[in-house]
Amino acid sequence: MKSLPILLLTGLVAVSAFAWDIDKKYKGPKTPTTDISWHPDILPGYEARYVNQGEAFDGPCRSTIVRLKSKKPSRKAFLYIHGFNDYFFQAEMGRRFVDSGFNFYAVDLRRYGRSKEPWQYPYNIRDMKEYFADIDSALVQIRRDGNEDITLGGHSTGGLTVSYFAAERGDAIGVNRVVTDSPFLEWNYNSFMRNVAVPVVSFLGKIFKNSKIKQGHCDGYAYSLLKEYHGEWEYNTDWKMIYSPPVTFSWVGAIESGQSRLMKKRKNIKVPILVMHSSRKIDGCNWEPVFQTGDAVLDPHMIQERGEKLGSQRLVCTIDSGLHDLILSELPAREAAYDTMFRFIRTF
């Protein structure tokens, strides 16, 4: 009888062999970004600029800074980091912060949205610390713009990223507080998957870095967001896909390692941290009305458990009936999320 790791290896290699790619393999030149000047963004009223992030494992890469500056003089700023299969499109959020006296900034991380180059596999990563350079570049710009009080925020994988950033940097983080919206602090799997399968894939990711695992063909969450279905929002579904693309073994390993390192260094978070999550978990694949009332991606109970261990000054809050992306929820939950964020920022 084969050992468990061998059985997992056999199954995972079989899965990866049938996982579809987003595009045909790119065969053109890999020309790095040289234009880093500000230009009108795809969101009306916003502006954006690229940041050349040098050579990565798959060639030249870039990040993108998006900003909406307050019309009144302000030294307060909010920096937003998006999640997996995502990019910054939440124009309402930026306007909310500007209306409240903040300069608003967001980053499209490397291989996401505005930043994705044609030779890059979307969302791929081998170490979450790669994202730290994207955050640092934005923070340099924010300070250059005259901001002194800075809040760093992130959603889902972005919430994991900013928490991990805070844990690694400690006193040198360079921001005043951290805000997270449904942070990806733990896998939404049963104990066998979390404790056996994911570590095996993470180990294999060191060898078979670009092997891929196909994701479920589920539309429930996307349909709860998109205006053409049951939600309120419009966005580019080439950048934020309805069906989540296959993920590489190395991506799984990077997330697993990031979560583990965060929890080991959680006491090194020296700034106040807010952890928000929905009031309920939604199971299922295809859309039904219940998808409008909870988190269909992560388990809020797991977020609560791990969130209560982060740093020494923390606030863990439940947003009743919030979606996975709380600020894209229906209006009552959305207002509760904004009220919680602004109250936290005023308090800390």
Side-chain angles (χ1 to χ4, degrees):
M1 182 177 179
K2 294 180 179 179
S3 67
L4 183 58
I6 296 299
L7 287 171
L8 284 169
L9 173 59
T10 303
L12 290 169
V13 170
V15 169
S16 69
F18 289 100
W20 49 272
D21 283 320
I22 303 303
D23 299 304
K24 294 180 180 178
K25 188 173 178 60
Y26 179 79
K27 297 181 180 178
K30 295 183 178 181
T31 306
T33 299
T34 55
D35 180 10
I36 57 172
S37 57
W38 288 103
H39 56 267
D41 187 50
I42 55 176
L43 297 176
Y46 287 76
E47 58 184 343
R49 76 173 182 87
Y50 300 121
V51 179
N52 188 333
Q53 295 292 356
E55 194 78 12
F57 63 83
D58 53 357
C61 72
R62 65 185 180 186
S63 60
T64 308
I65 304 172
V66 182
R67 74 181 178 187
L68 183 66
K69 298 180 76 173
S70 173
K71 294 180 181 179
K72 298 179 180 179
S74 175
R75 294 186 179 277
K76 298 186 297 182
F78 186 91
L79 172 60
Y80 174 76
I81 309 298
H82 61 77
F84 172 73
N85 186 19
D86 206 355
Y87 72 103
F88 174 66
F89 66 91
Q90 296 89 339
E92 180 193 74
M93 177 169 61
R95 291 193 297 268
R96 290 272 190 135
F97 275 96
V98 166
D99 290 345
S100 297
F102 292 77
N103 295 307
F104 180 84
Y105 299 79
V107 172
D108 272 13
L109 299 169
R110 56 188 68 195
R111 306 182 190 91
Y112 283 86
R114 300 165 178 81
S115 302
K116 184 183 176 299
E117 301 281 22
W119 55 84
Q120 294 174 330
Y121 187 77
Y123 325 143
N124 199 14
I125 193 76
R126 292 184 178 171
D127 189 324
M128 290 196 69
K129 285 186 177 180
E130 290 180 51
Y131 294 145
F132 289 8
D134 303 357
I135 295 173
D136 283 332
S137 299
L139 291 175
V140 168
Q141 180 66 60
I142 289 169
R143 295 189 194 99
R144 185 184 300 148
D145 288 347
N147 297 285
E148 297 175 351
D149 184 285
I150 304 171
T151 303
L152 176 60
H155 162 62
S156 195
T157 307
L160 169 61
T161 302
V162 299
S163 301
Y164 181 32
F165 182 81
E168 286 286 347
R169 294 294 173 84
D171 289 322
I173 185 175
V175 304
N176 299 83
R177 64 198 66 81
V178 171
V179 167
T180 66
D181 169 354
S182 303
F184 186 13
L185 304 180
E186 177 64 285
W187 298 93
N188 183 16
Y189 294 141
N190 60 37
S191 60
F192 170 80
M193 290 293 291
R194 294 197 310 271
N195 299 320
V196 180
V198 169
V200 168
V201 176
S202 299
F203 173 77
L204 293 174
K206 299 175 183 178
I207 306 168
F208 307 104
K209 293 181 172 61
N210 292 318
S211 293
K212 300 179 183 70
I213 302 174
K214 190 174 183 179
Q215 304 298 287
H217 200 67
C218 296
D219 56 36
Y221 181 52
Y223 283 16
S224 72
L225 299 179
L226 283 162
K227 191 173 184 178
E228 62 185 291
Y229 297 103
H230 307 283
E232 301 178 43
W233 313 102
E234 295 177 312
Y235 53 80
N236 184 337
T237 53
D238 289 330
W239 289 355
K240 182 177 176 65
M241 303 173 202
I242 291 178
Y243 302 106
S244 182
V247 294
T248 62
F249 283 19
S250 64
W251 181 89
V252 173
I255 297 297
E256 172 76 358
S257 176
Q259 291 173 340
S260 176
R261 291 175 190 167
L262 166 61
M263 298 315 294
K264 288 177 181 177
K265 296 189 174 185
R266 63 188 183 275
K267 298 300 183 184
N268 198 41
I269 297 176
K270 303 300 184 182
V271 295
I273 183 167
L274 170 65
V275 178
M276 298 186 296
H277 60 76
S278 178
S279 57
R280 63 182 58 85
K281 174 185 175 183
I282 304 299
D283 292 314
C285 187
N286 300 116
W287 187 89
E288 51 186 303
V290 72
F291 273 84
Q292 304 302 129
T293 68
D295 192 329
V297 178
L298 297 180
D299 185 339
H301 177 70
M302 292 178 173
I303 297 173
Q304 175 84 24
E305 272 195 345
R306 288 206 165 187
E308 288 177 344
K309 299 175 182 178
L310 300 181
S312 57
Q313 264 190 307
R314 78 187 75 83
L315 180 63
V316 183
C317 289
T318 300
I319 305 299
D320 186 36
S321 302
L323 299 183
H324 175 57
D325 193 336
L326 297 167
I327 63 159
L328 300 181
S329 304
E330 293 183 346
L331 191 58
R334 191 157 85 238
E335 291 291 353
Y338 281 122
D339 288 347
T340 301
M341 284 192 288
F342 286 121
R343 186 171 65 251
F344 175 81
I345 292 170
R346 288 194 302 269
T347 303
F348 296 98

